[in-house]
Amino acid sequence: ALHESLRLLLNEGLTASWARHNNAHLALVAGLESMGLSMLVDQDHRLPQLNTVNIPKGIDEAKVRKYLLEEHSLEIGAGLGTLAGKVWRIGLMGPNANIDKVVFCLDKLSLALNLQGYDIDASLAGRTAQKTHDSF
């Protein structure tokens, strides 16, 4: 696995890989913010590969994660320790750091939130992320 990951990195180039991860992160954040969600970590201290999203009040975060996993084979992480039940962790690493995966995640997260009464346009976040990504 290490050999393969290094081969892929060599083929893509380190600078291009960093840019791809950062662009996917910026697109994800734009999409999340268009849904009224916020990030836990200040912009200057974020790690593009691991995005920590504050859970809106009144949302059962475990039901959202279960729905995403069971209905869409999409796994997002729960908060750990003192952040349990307060945040989700969305990873954008390796091949998952691309706009198609970001849009998929946002579209399905929007649907999951709508099922719990969080009224948002289910395609707005994906469109926002795509527009942000296209501006790079």
Side-chain angles (χ1 to χ4, degrees), residues 11-58:
N11 286 342
E12 181 177 10
L14 189 57
T15 302
S17 177
W18 284 343
R20 179 173 52 82
H21 282 81
N22 192 58
N23 292 346
H25 159 74
L26 294 173
L28 177 71
V29 171
L32 292 167
E33 289 177 346
S34 77
M35 296 165 54
L37 301 179
S38 64
M39 305 300 287
L40 175 70
V41 178
D42 223 24
Q43 183 175 348
D44 293 339
H45 301 288
R46 292 181 188 156
L47 176 66
Q49 292 82 1
L50 185 58
N51 299 273
T52 310
V53 183
N54 292 309
I55 298 168
K57 294 207 184 293

Side-chain angles (χ1 to χ4, degrees), residues 2 15 19 24 26 37 45 63-65 79 112 118 123-124 132-133:
L2 177 60
T15 302
L26 294 173
L37 301 179
H45 301 288
K63 283 186 181 178
V64 169
R65 288 185 302 105
Y118 191 81
S123 66
L124 175 62
T132 299
H133 187 269

Side-chain angles (χ1 to χ4, degrees), residues 80-97:
L80 302 172
T82 60
L83 295 176
K86 297 177 185 175
V87 299
W88 289 306
R89 296 172 299 122
I90 301 176
L92 295 174
M93 297 170 231
N96 287 325

Side-chain angles (χ1 to χ4, degrees), residues 3 5 25 28 63-64 82 94-95 105 110 113 115 122 133 135:
H3 182 269
S5 63
H25 159 74
L28 177 71
K63 283 186 181 178
V64 169
T82 60
C105 175
S110 296
L113 290 171
L115 289 172
H133 187 269
S135 71

Side-chain angles (χ1 to χ4, degrees), residues 60-124:
D60 183 330
E61 69 87 18
K63 283 186 181 178
V64 169
R65 288 185 302 105
K66 181 178 179 180
Y67 168 81
L68 292 174
L69 185 58
E70 291 180 356
E71 298 299 322
H72 302 288
S73 299
L74 174 63
E75 187 170 10
I76 62 173
L80 302 172
T82 60
L83 295 176
K86 297 177 185 175
V87 299
W88 289 306
R89 296 172 299 122
I90 301 176
L92 295 174
M93 297 170 231
N96 287 325
N98 74 65
I99 190 59
D100 293 336
K101 301 287 186 177
V102 168
V103 169
F104 179 80
C105 175
L106 291 168
D107 286 348
K108 302 315 178 195
L109 180 58
S110 296
L111 292 173
L113 290 171
N114 277 337
L115 289 172
Q116 290 196 34
Y118 191 81
D119 188 26
I120 51 175
D121 176 346
S123 66
L124 175 62

